[in-house]
């Protein structure tokens, strides 16, 4: 029986997107019997837990023999915290494996596919490798570069002001936009803010969505020259703190810098070594300018309120835009309405 591979792979992708197992990848898998019935479903829930293929094979039981397995990411072929998925697929007697995309992890990277083929299992690549990678772009970026995928989030009026001149900013955007920003947080491993945001807003940096039960992102604070209050809310959550000079603050303090400012490039590299795959940078304007000028932003998410400031308050970036030649081109990849507001997603142009 001919299988509808695109539809089945889309079902596996939906399973993968439902979980957040970082630093391990999001993976979904289906076991399909020869007559076309889905007899096993699996998803990777968390690091150290069974991989999606294993869960799907267990779900299928004896019906996995002679079946087709569809998996969004190349099966692993190495012994980590769990045994190799290739061994389990071979032992189950599956006839065919359809792989969404190859795994960029150097411990896998083609060896999983090769092991299955050596065992006589038919292996083919799925029809949409870019779509399979889009399930978890942070994972692919991290495995290729060793660094987290950095998203810069900004909320502003239509004329580019993130706060009034007196510092007030609650709330520039609507409840719909704020809810969407919490969804963005829920998909991040860490949320970073600068000292100015801690001083002005005393943020929690938590995901506050009805029914949310996933892991909260790790807070990250970039300390400045102004002293921070150790009783600030964020310091009750064991944050990672980057400072340009030694400071006495709760959390895990790392000194990176030149006594005047934090080395942001070094901070991003350090987060990658800690297994942070997706980093959300939420501001303020000084931190946003630092990330932008250093070329550290991979994706921009801008929430544009249905409002006009009508004057100069506080801009999104704390740098001078001296001449038009200083502009940085981006590629807008998504625009949508959120109640009275607009969300724009962009990435830096090649």
């Amino acid at each position: 029986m001919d299988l509808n591979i695109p539809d089945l792979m889309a079902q596996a992708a939906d399973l993968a997107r439902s979980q957040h197992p970082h630093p391990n990848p999001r993976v979904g898998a289906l076991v399909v019997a020869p007559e076309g019935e889905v007899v096993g479903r699996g998803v990777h829930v968390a690091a150290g837990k069974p991989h999606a293929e294993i869960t799907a094979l267990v779900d299928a039981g004896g019906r996995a023999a002679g079946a087709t397995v569809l998996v969004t990411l190349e099966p692993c072929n190495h012994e980590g915290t769990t045994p190799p998925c290739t061994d389990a697929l071979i032992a189950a007697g599956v006839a065919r494996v359809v792989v969404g995309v190859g795994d960029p992890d150097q411990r896998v990277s083609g060896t999983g596919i090769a092991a299955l083929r050596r065992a006589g299992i038919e292996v083919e690549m799925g029809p949409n490798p870019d779509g399979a990678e889009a399930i978890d772009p942070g994972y692919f970026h991290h495995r290729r570069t060793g660094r987290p995928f950095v998203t810069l989030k900004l909320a502003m009026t239509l004329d580019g002001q993130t706060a009034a001149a007196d510092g007030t900013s609650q709330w520039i955007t609507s409840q719909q936009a704020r809810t969407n920003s919490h969804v963005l947080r829920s998909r991040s491993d860490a949320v970073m803010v600068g000292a100015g945001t801690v001083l002005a807003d005393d943020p929690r940096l938590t995901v506050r969505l009805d029914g949310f039960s996933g892991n909260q992102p790790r807070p990250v604070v970039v300390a400045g020259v102004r002293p921070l209050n150790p009783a600030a809310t964020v310091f009750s959550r064991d944050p990672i703190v980057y400072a340009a000079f030694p400071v006495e603050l709760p959390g895990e303090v790392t000194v990176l810098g030149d006594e005047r400012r934090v080395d942001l490039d070094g901070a991003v590299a350090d987060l990658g070594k800690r297994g942070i795959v997706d980093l959300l940078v939420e501001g303020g304007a000084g931190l946003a300018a630092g990330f932008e000028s250093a070329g550290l932003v991979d994706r921009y998410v801008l929430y544009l309120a249905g409002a006009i400031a009508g004057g100069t308050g506080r801009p999104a970036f704390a740098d001078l835009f001296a001449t038009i030649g200083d502009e940085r081109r981006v590629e807008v990849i998504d625009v949508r309405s959120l109640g009275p507001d607009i969300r724009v997603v962009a990435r830096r142009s090649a």
Side-chain angles (χ1 to χ4, degrees):
M1 179 178 180
D2 291 335
L3 301 180
N4 186 336
I5 297 300
D7 179 69
L8 291 166
M9 193 61 79
Q11 293 180 47
D14 286 342
L15 288 171
R17 280 189 286 264
S18 71
Q19 302 297 323
H20 192 140
H22 290 168
N24 285 10
R26 295 183 175 99
V27 185
L30 299 179
V31 179
V32 184
E35 66 274 15
E37 180 187 358
V38 177
V39 295
R41 294 176 173 82
V43 62
H44 187 38
V45 175
K49 298 294 185 180
H51 290 187
E53 301 96 312
I54 306 302
T55 306
L57 290 172
V58 170
D59 190 32
R63 300 189 69 182
T68 294
V69 173
L70 297 99
V71 59
T72 57
L73 184 69
E74 178 182 4
C76 67
N77 189 44
H78 65 282
E79 186 85 30
T81 55
T82 60
C85 291
T86 51
D87 288 357
L89 290 164
I90 293 166
V94 306
R96 178 187 180 201
V97 176
V98 182
V99 176
V101 67
D103 192 335
D105 192 312
Q106 293 182 357
R107 297 169 298 176
V108 186
S109 193
T111 65
I113 291 171
L116 294 174
R117 286 177 172 157
R118 283 196 303 269
I121 296 174
E122 179 187 350
V123 180
E124 66 181 77
M125 301 306 295
N128 185 13
D130 289 342
E133 182 169 334
I135 294 169
D136 200 355
Y139 169 79
F140 284 83
H141 182 83
H142 182 266
R143 290 304 188 272
R144 288 168 179 154
T145 68
R147 302 160 71 91
F149 184 86
V150 176
T151 298
L152 176 61
K153 188 208 86 173
L154 298 166
M156 65 189 79
T157 62
L158 283 177
D159 50 346
Q161 304 304 301
T162 62
D166 64 359
T168 55
S169 62
Q170 295 183 340
W171 296 102
I172 281 180
T173 54
S174 66
Q175 181 61 55
Q176 294 96 320
R178 297 198 299 276
T179 297
N180 187 263
S181 73
H182 278 269
V183 172
L184 191 62
R185 268 188 196 173
S186 75
R187 296 172 180 168
S188 303
D189 303 318
V191 180
M192 177 185 282
V193 294
T197 298
V198 175
L199 290 167
D201 299 336
D202 191 22
R204 285 176 278 177
L205 303 184
T206 55
V207 178
R208 298 186 294 280
L209 295 169
D210 290 342
F212 178 77
S213 59
N215 292 328
Q216 291 287 350
R218 183 91 183 263
V220 182
V221 175
V222 177
V225 295
R226 289 181 291 174
L228 292 173
N229 181 0
T233 303
V234 71
F235 292 118
S236 68
R237 297 191 54 228
D238 188 30
I240 299 169
V241 180
Y242 292 108
F245 48 84
V247 292
E248 292 292 332
L249 289 170
E252 192 174 349
V253 178
T254 298
V255 176
L256 280 174
D258 59 3
E259 295 289 331
R260 296 178 297 108
R261 64 182 63 186
V262 170
D263 173 11
L264 295 178
D265 185 79
V268 170
D270 182 66
L271 289 171
K273 293 175 183 176
R274 295 170 182 264
I276 300 298
V277 170
D278 276 303
L279 172 64
L280 179 62
V281 178
E282 290 202 357
L287 187 64
F291 266 80
E292 178 60 24
S293 64
L296 296 173
V297 181
D298 299 301
R299 178 176 62 170
Y300 305 81
V301 178
L302 281 67
Y303 296 95
L304 304 177
I308 297 292
T312 301
R314 298 192 178 182
F317 297 94
D319 270 354
L320 177 67
F321 182 32
T323 180
I324 195 64
D326 292 341
E327 68 176 7
R328 300 175 180 92
R329 304 301 295 180
V330 299
E331 177 188 359
V332 175
I333 56 178
D334 185 69
V335 179
R336 65 184 61 188
S337 296
L338 296 171
D341 304 332
I342 298 169
R343 189 192 72 179
V344 179
V345 181
R347 61 190 173 203
R348 191 181 302 277
S349 296

